[in-house]
Amino acid sequence: MRVTVLGCSGSVGGPNSPASGYLLTAPGVEPTVIDFGPGILGALQRYADPSRVTVLLSHLHADHCLDVPGLLVWRRYHPIPATGRARVFGPADTAFRLGVASAECGGSIDDVSDTLDLHRWRDGDTVDFGGYSVQVRQVFHPPESYGMRVTSAEGKVLAYTGDTGMCDAVIDLARDADYLLSEASWTHAEDRPPGVHLSGVEAGQLAKMANVKSLLLTHIPPWTSREAVIAEAAGQFDGPVHAVSPGEVFEL
Ligand SMILES: [Zn+2]
Ligand SMILES: [Zn+2]
């Protein structure tokens, strides 16, 4: 199983990265993209045919899903028509939210069911994709949001926090993972909002509590110091700490 970082800028796209998106590939399995924020459709074209991907949405904040309307255009109007529909997994109101984003005019909703085969996440679900399975748990973030535990056919584990504050569910998801891909949206400042996101300190604490092998920091916004977040996490977790960049590949 291979994870390719398509985009990792937190909350919005940045000067050097699209917003959130991670490509998951394994031999004999159609590629999967975890989160599909602004800029991901462009980055994806370097690595895979967008007509052949499954999409897993952690939640419906704009920075995690707003290139899906572009994927609709790609599949509907590309000169080589895509076969079948793209499977998209997400929260309960995914059809409505993507339908509004893709509509022709205000007040209308695009019926995306011609192009997308939508599946609703439920807390604790495990979906088998052939070369890997994905378990989701609902995490601590304002909209309905899920973290993911991806397990390869060989039993290797990538845990992805999505966007979340510290919670039991995200610790369970990360337990003994080979890689923890953890958001770290801000430094551990006294005036940071409660919940919502993890600080660098909390990402490091999560890695330690869950006993992961390696911590990959992501979702650092353009206005947050990358160096400060890395230093905070490394102060809590004794294992390897690395902040990911677009184009990086991790093999499991
Ligand atoms: Zn986000
Ligand atoms: Zn969010």
Side-chain angles (χ1 to χ4, degrees), residues 90-105:
D93 52 352
T94 300
F96 175 76
R97 297 284 298 280
L98 295 179
V100 168
S102 179
E104 295 282 357
C105 55

Side-chain angles (χ1 to χ4, degrees), residues 9-142:
S9 182
S11 302
V12 295
N16 301 309
S17 177
S20 293
Y22 310 92
L23 175 64
L24 202 57
T25 51
V29 185
E30 291 211 339
T32 296
V33 184
I34 297 177
D35 281 338
F36 217 88
I40 294 304
L41 180 60
L44 174 63
Q45 292 166 50
R46 295 192 200 117
Y47 305 100
D49 178 355
S51 293
R52 300 176 63 85
V53 297
T54 293
V55 176
L56 313 183
L57 299 175
S58 64
H59 66 300
L60 298 170
H61 272 156
D63 59 314
H64 294 257
C65 72
L66 265 194
D67 244 4
V68 177
L71 183 64
L72 279 159
V73 172
W74 180 282
R75 293 187 62 101
R76 284 173 175 164
Y77 304 114
H78 193 288
I80 303 168
T83 52
R85 297 184 294 167
R87 285 187 300 173
V88 176
F89 293 72
D93 52 352
T94 300
F96 175 76
R97 297 284 298 280
L98 295 179
V100 168
S102 179
E104 295 282 357
C105 55
S108 68
I109 299 170
D110 183 15
D111 179 0
V112 301
S113 64
D114 64 314
T115 307
L116 305 181
D117 175 19
L118 293 171
H119 300 262
R120 179 186 173 179
W121 292 130
R122 293 178 195 278
D123 188 31
D125 272 357
T126 298
V127 180
D128 188 352
F129 291 95
Y132 42 82
S133 64
V134 178
Q135 183 195 24
V136 293
R137 291 292 308 277
Q138 195 161 352
V139 292
F140 182 27
H141 195 58

Side-chain angles (χ1 to χ4, degrees), residues 133-208:
S133 64
V134 178
Q135 183 195 24
V136 293
R137 291 292 308 277
Q138 195 161 352
V139 292
F140 182 27
H141 195 58
E144 181 186 342
S145 303
Y146 295 89
M148 302 180 198
R149 181 179 176 92
V150 184
T151 305
S152 75
E154 296 78 28
K156 299 288 187 185
V157 172
L158 167 78
Y160 171 51
T161 60
D163 284 7
T164 186
M166 188 66 83
C167 61
D168 289 343
V170 80
I171 299 170
D172 288 345
L173 281 174
R175 190 87 58 200
D176 299 322
D178 294 276
Y179 285 110
L180 168 60
L181 182 61
S182 176
E183 72 123 298
S185 297
W186 44 51
T187 56
H188 204 67
E190 287 292 322
D191 61 350
R192 71 189 191 283
V196 186
H197 288 299
L198 298 171
S199 67
V201 167
E202 290 169 317
Q205 290 171 339
L206 171 62
K208 184 174 183 174

